[in-house]
Amino acid sequence: MSEYGKLFRKKEGQKNTFILKPYHPDKEKYFELINKAREKSYKQVIVNSKIMTDILFRTLNSGGVILKINMSENTDQFVTDNIKVIIRKLRENNLLFVKLKEQLDWASESGSIDINSIEIYSNKKRYEIYSNGIISGENIIDLFQNNIQIVLEYYFNG
């Protein structure tokens, strides 16, 4: 059964701290979730293409698999097709991540959200991470603590 969570951050001194707040789309409205977090001084995390790429890299380095990268509608079909081919070949050769990164660099440099979502397989579980900061899958707290939180801390805190 899939769980859902939403990424938030809070400035504490010079550093940002991050939480994954449980989200139940069948029981609560998205804007209510955001408003409750804002009342506690949390800001939502938007997962831009640079962060997505870093999550992909960390996934591969920890023995996970990239299943799919869902690009925005504005993405050139040639780029989308190349990404699909590279992802299939990545399972045989992780060094092809360099080629994948090259294909995604144009999106990462601008701080854009041209990557709508990514689907990964890590620790025998499937997850999807959306650009709006929603994460879905089983036991999402493990993915958050072992992958996403580390990427966010580096991105926001340097």
Side-chain angles (χ1 to χ4, degrees):
M1 184 173 149
S2 277
E3 302 171 26
Y4 291 86
K6 170 71 174 138
L7 296 168
F8 290 97
R9 68 183 170 97
K10 182 187 239 184
K11 191 86 165 167
E12 293 182 348
Q14 298 295 328
K15 299 260 185 196
N16 286 284
T17 58
F18 300 91
I19 62 166
L20 179 64
K21 190 159 179 42
Y23 172 49
H24 306 283
D26 53 334
K27 296 178 184 174
E28 65 186 320
K29 293 183 174 140
Y30 183 73
F31 78 91
E32 289 173 352
L33 175 73
I34 303 297
N35 283 339
K36 285 179 190 175
R38 289 180 69 187
E39 288 171 4
K40 295 178 181 172
S41 300
Y42 282 97
K43 295 180 181 181
Q44 61 176 318
V45 172
I46 303 301
V47 184
N48 66 31
S49 296
K50 169 73 172 120
I51 296 169
M52 289 285 200
T53 303
D54 291 348
I55 292 169
L56 292 171
F57 183 68
R58 184 154 181 85
T59 299
L60 285 177
N61 277 345
S62 63
V65 176
I66 298 170
L67 300 173
K68 191 172 183 184
I69 299 174
N70 299 304
M71 302 299 291
S72 72
E73 294 175 9
N74 301 335
T75 305
D76 184 270
Q77 190 61 45
F78 177 76
V79 172
T80 302
D81 291 343
N82 278 347
I83 289 169
K84 287 178 185 176
V85 168
I86 294 168
I87 288 172
R88 274 183 293 215
K89 292 180 179 179
L90 262 175
R91 293 179 187 161
E92 300 161 17
N93 182 359
N94 277 357
L95 294 177
L96 286 174
F97 185 78
V98 173
K99 288 240 183 254
L100 179 62
K101 191 164 176 356
E102 287 173 6
Q103 287 294 310
L104 297 173
D105 266 351
W106 63 272
S108 298
E109 288 177 6
S110 65
S112 68
I113 53 171
D114 290 305
I115 300 174
N116 286 339
S117 69
I118 57 174
E119 296 174 36
I120 60 173
Y121 187 78
S122 181
N123 295 320
K124 300 181 182 177
K125 294 178 180 66
R126 184 185 185 112
Y127 301 99
E128 188 161 6
I129 299 117
Y130 299 87
S131 59
N132 67 353
I134 296 286
I135 300 170
S136 69
E138 288 183 43
N139 202 9
I140 56 177
I141 194 69
D142 281 350
L143 179 70
F144 172 70
Q145 291 173 340
N146 298 318
N147 183 329
I148 297 171
Q149 184 175 15
I150 295 164
V151 169
L152 291 175
E153 286 173 353
Y154 181 78
Y155 181 83
F156 283 96
N157 297 328

